[in-house]
C-alpha cells in the first residue's frame, strides 16, 4: 500500500530497459527518477496517474496505454497496462497488481497503416470496393468510405471495434472466425460473409489476406 515493489518477474527489468533486477527501482516513488510517462493522447502523465497509484486508489483498468521514456537514454516504448487494487478480508486496499505488455511494434504497424489511409480510401472510392484492415485482436484499424456507407455508420463507430461489436446480431463471430483462419494459415482465402445493413441483410464474397511487416510477421 506504500508503493514498495514486493514481487516482480524477470521481465520487469527488461521491460523497463534495466540491465538486471538489481538496477530496478525499489518503490514507485523512485520511478520518476528514471522514467517519464505519457498518455495515449501524448499529454504528460504525472506520477500520480501511473498504474500503481491509480490501483492504490481503487481503480480497476484493463488495457490502457502509456508511452514511456527513459530519462537517461531517451529510449521510448509503448505499454498496455491492466491493474487493480489488492484488498484484505475487510475490503481495505493493501497493495496493487499491475500487468504490462510492450506493444511498441504493434503501435508502429498501426501507425504505418494509418499513414496509407488516404491512398487506401482513394483506391476504394475509385473501385467502389468495400475495404478494411484489422489488427491481430480483430479490431478495425482502417475502413473505406464505401464500408461506412454500407453499414450506415460513422468512422468513430467502426474504428477500434471488433466485428462482434459492429454487428449486434451475432454475425460478427463468423467474421472473426474467418479472420482467425487467415491469420493462422498465412494465406489469402475467400469466404461468403453476411452483414446486417440499413438496406437489409446482404451477402458478400469477402477476400481476406494476411498483412505482414518488414520482417515477414503477420500483423
Amino acid at each position: 500500500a506504500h508503493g514498495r515493489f514486493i514481487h516482480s518477474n524477470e521481465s520487469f527489468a527488461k521491460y523497463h530497459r534495466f540491465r538486471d533486477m538489481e538496477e530496478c527501482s525499489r518503490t514507485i516513488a523512485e520511478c520518476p527518477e528514471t522514467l517519464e510517462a505519457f498518455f495515449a493522447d501524448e499529454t504528460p502523465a504525472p506520477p500520480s496517474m501511473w498504474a500503481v497509484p491509480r490501483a492504490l486508489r481503487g481503480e480497476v483498468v484493463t488495457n490502457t496505454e502509456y508511452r514511456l521514456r527513459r530519462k537517461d537514454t531517451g529510449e521510448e516504448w509503448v505499454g498496455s497496462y491492466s491493474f487493480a487494487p489488492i484488498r484484505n478480508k475487510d475490503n481495505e486496499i493493501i497493495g496493487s497488481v499491475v500487468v504490462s505488455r510492450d506493444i511498441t511494434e504493434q503501435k508502429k504497424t498501426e501507425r504505418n497503416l494509418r499513414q496509407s489511409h488516404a491512398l487506401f480510401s482513394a483506391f476504394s472510392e475509385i473501385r467502389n470496393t468495400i475495404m478494411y484492415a484489422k489488427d491481430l485482436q480483430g479490431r478495425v484499424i482502417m475502413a473505406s468510405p464505401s464500408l461506412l456507407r454500407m453499414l450506415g455508420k460513422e468512422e468513430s463507430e467502426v474504428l477500434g471495434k471488433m466485428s462482434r461489436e459492429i454487428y449486434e446480431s451475432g454475425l460478427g463471430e463468423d467474421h472473426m472466425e474467418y479472420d482467425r483462419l487467415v491469420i493462422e494459415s498465412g494465406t489469402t482465402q475467400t469466404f461468403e460473409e453476411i452483414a446486417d445493413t440499413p438496406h437489409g441483410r446482404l451477402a458478400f464474397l469477402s477476400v481476406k489476406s494476411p498483412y505482414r511487416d518488414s520482417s515477414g510477421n503477420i500483423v
Side-chain angles (χ1 to χ4, degrees):
H2 301 290
R4 294 187 293 262
F5 296 123
I6 57 175
H7 172 74
S8 57
N9 61 7
E10 292 295 328
S11 297
F12 183 85
K14 180 180 178 181
Y15 177 85
H16 291 98
R17 279 51 178 179
F18 289 111
R19 286 179 297 183
D20 51 41
M21 295 296 288
E22 291 301 316
E23 275 195 350
C24 293
S25 304
R26 300 302 177 187
T27 70
I28 190 65
E30 295 175 10
C31 292
E33 297 174 8
T34 55
L35 294 173
E36 290 180 303
F38 302 83
F39 294 117
D41 64 2
E42 295 301 319
T43 58
S48 63
M49 291 301 295
W50 293 9
V52 170
R54 291 176 65 181
L56 291 176
R57 291 196 296 269
E59 288 191 57
V60 178
V61 174
T62 302
N63 295 331
T64 191
E65 292 180 14
Y66 290 95
R67 178 171 62 85
L68 302 184
R69 189 178 78 87
R70 282 289 299 251
K71 290 182 175 180
D72 51 353
T73 65
E75 185 174 4
E76 296 185 358
W77 65 99
V78 181
S80 175
Y81 286 76
S82 299
F83 51 84
I86 299 172
R87 298 178 183 270
N88 63 16
K89 60 182 177 62
D90 297 318
N91 205 37
E92 298 169 333
I93 295 176
I94 58 172
S96 64
V97 58
V98 178
V99 177
S100 55
R101 294 182 299 112
D102 191 327
I103 59 170
T104 307
E105 290 304 314
Q106 175 186 320
K107 300 304 290 185
K108 286 181 180 177
T109 299
E110 291 177 5
R111 183 170 62 251
N112 290 339
L113 281 172
R114 290 194 182 98
Q115 288 172 348
S116 331
H117 198 186
L119 179 61
F120 175 94
S121 296
F123 179 71
S124 67
E125 283 293 272
I126 293 170
R127 299 189 58 193
N128 196 28
T129 300
I130 292 169
M131 301 174 67
Y132 55 88
K134 296 180 179 179
D135 63 16
L136 289 178
Q137 285 69 49
R139 295 185 295 259
V140 177
I141 56 177
M142 285 199 299
S144 68
S146 49
L147 172 63
L148 300 176
R149 286 196 298 271
M150 184 272 289
L151 294 174
K153 294 180 179 291
E154 298 293 327
E155 191 175 55
S156 60
E157 298 177 280
V158 174
L159 293 187
K161 301 291 195 306
M162 297 182 179
S163 292
R164 67 166 69 99
E165 298 172 296
I166 297 171
Y167 301 103
E168 297 177 358
S169 60
L171 294 173
E173 295 295 341
D174 290 336
H175 296 202
M176 295 182 71
E177 174 62 15
Y178 298 150
D179 295 339
R180 185 187 64 79
L181 292 173
V182 169
I183 290 170
E184 289 186 353
S185 68
T187 60
T188 297
Q189 299 188 44
T190 302
F191 306 93
E192 182 177 296
E193 291 188 320
I194 308 298
D196 283 331
T197 78
H199 316 289
R201 181 164 287 189
L202 303 179
F204 295 87
L205 197 62
S206 180
V207 181
K208 295 177 180 281
S209 296
Y211 181 84
R212 301 176 185 272
D213 62 16
S214 58
S215 299
N217 300 309
I218 295 175
V219 294

